[in-house]
Amino acid sequence: MKQAILTAKAQQPGGMPYSQAIKTGNTVYVAGQGPFDPITGWSMGDDLQTQARQTLDNLKAILEEAGATMADVVKVTVILGEGANFDEFNDIYKEYFASPYPARTIFGSNIGFLVQIDATAVIA
């Protein structure tokens, strides 16, 4: 059975046709999260530090709503926007994830902000 996950503590879908996450069994699939404030819906900051932390905080809030933690994440996809520094992002990323790190795909794109992340978690 598939269950939609929704929390007010993360970026809202608004009228867009997607769920923040879907939980099926012990697996949680989190939609791509960006640096958007859950209350205002506006992108936070113009720098990678602010945007990456807001994005990861959104991800964390959705996982918690689903009964998961960042330690349960097994796979992430990261899109870095134009001008984002890979090494700086990795330093921030390590504040949220510990070894063994999730498998990760990372690539660059002109997305209009500096970072977007989706994730898959398996609750132990």
Side-chain angles (χ1 to χ4, degrees):
M1 182 169 95
K2 135 176 137 167
Q3 171 190 359
I5 303 299
L6 181 65
T7 178
K9 297 178 182 177
Q11 169 185 342
Q12 299 298 301
M16 300 295 283
Y18 74 93
S19 298
Q20 286 176 328
I22 293 292
K23 182 177 182 181
T24 181
N26 66 339
T27 304
V28 181
Y29 301 91
V30 181
Q33 297 299 302
F36 301 101
D37 180 86
I39 296 168
T40 67
W42 291 97
S43 179
M44 298 296 293
D46 294 329
D47 61 288
L48 183 59
Q49 292 268 342
T50 303
Q51 289 195 15
R53 283 193 175 87
Q54 182 64 56
T55 300
L56 288 159
D57 287 344
N58 287 342
L59 178 68
K60 183 177 177 183
I62 293 167
L63 288 166
E64 288 173 353
E65 184 69 22
T69 68
M70 298 294 268
D72 293 319
V73 174
V74 296
K75 172 73 171 82
V76 297
T77 302
V78 178
I79 303 169
L80 291 180
E82 199 170 320
N85 180 289
F86 182 78
D87 292 331
E88 181 182 9
F89 174 76
N90 277 334
D91 289 340
I92 298 162
Y93 184 87
K94 289 188 286 188
E95 295 173 18
Y96 289 81
F97 292 105
S99 183
Y101 296 106
R104 182 174 83 175
T105 301
I106 191 166
F107 61 93
S109 178
N110 186 8
I111 55 176
F113 43 91
L114 296 173
V115 64
Q116 184 177 42
I117 303 172
D118 73 12
T120 303
V122 177
I123 302 168

